[in-house]
Amino acid sequence: QVQLVESGGGLVQAGGSLRLSCAASGTFFSINTMGWYRQGPGKQRDMVARMTTGGSTNYADSVEGRFTISRDNAKNTEYLQMNSLKPEDTAVYYCGAQVVVTTKPLRVSADWGQGTQVTVSS
């Protein structure tokens, strides 16, 4: 019911910045949560940052203070501003969203974007 498209990944030197974008489209009533997740080589996919409808945010300890998640509700787009990037931030970054498909009855669904590669060099 929701399609997510990420953009903004690339190669950056340590200490640099990138901004990722995720646009949500499809048939759904509202978005409960949108967030960013990443998966490095040989690692599990971990939560990086999340934002709820009410604007509450949640960050992984490893990125708090360096990354900022934001959302443009009018565009159904969320962003991840990544500053002071480190080589250990290198990963495929995925946008994820939980949406309300219908309200009566209440049904929710979640989906992932295709991922965008972020590579941070020393």
Side-chain angles (χ1 to χ4, degrees):
Q1 303 293 340
V2 60
Q3 295 81 47
L4 305 173
V5 179
E6 304 106 326
S7 62
L11 174 65
V12 66
Q13 293 183 350
S17 299
L18 286 173
R19 189 166 92 144
L20 307 182
S21 299
C22 175
S25 62
T27 303
F28 54 89
F29 182 78
S30 62
I31 299 173
N32 283 338
T33 303
M34 292 185 72
W36 291 95
Y37 306 77
R38 68 186 183 187
Q39 185 170 12
K43 298 180 180 179
Q44 299 291 326
R45 186 178 298 185
D46 296 324
M47 186 274 292
V48 177
R50 293 183 297 184
M51 177 177 283
T52 66
T53 302
S56 298
T57 57
N58 189 10
Y59 296 93
D61 290 342
S62 59
V63 307
E64 190 163 10
R66 299 188 296 119
F67 292 9
T68 303
I69 188 171
S70 61
R71 181 186 295 171
D72 186 334
N73 290 321
K75 298 180 179 179
N76 283 334
T77 300
E78 77 168 358
Y79 307 91
L80 184 67
Q81 179 66 45
M82 304 184 293
N83 298 326
S84 301
L85 283 163
K86 305 174 181 179
E88 50 263 43
D89 295 319
T90 295
V92 177
Y93 284 70
Y94 297 89
C95 176
Q98 183 190 76
V99 302
V100 177
V101 180
T102 62
T103 57
K104 295 183 179 180
L106 179 63
R107 290 191 176 93
V108 298
S109 182
D111 203 358
W112 299 97
Q114 81 285 354
T116 185
Q117 177 71 47
V118 172
T119 302
V120 184
S121 63
S122 300

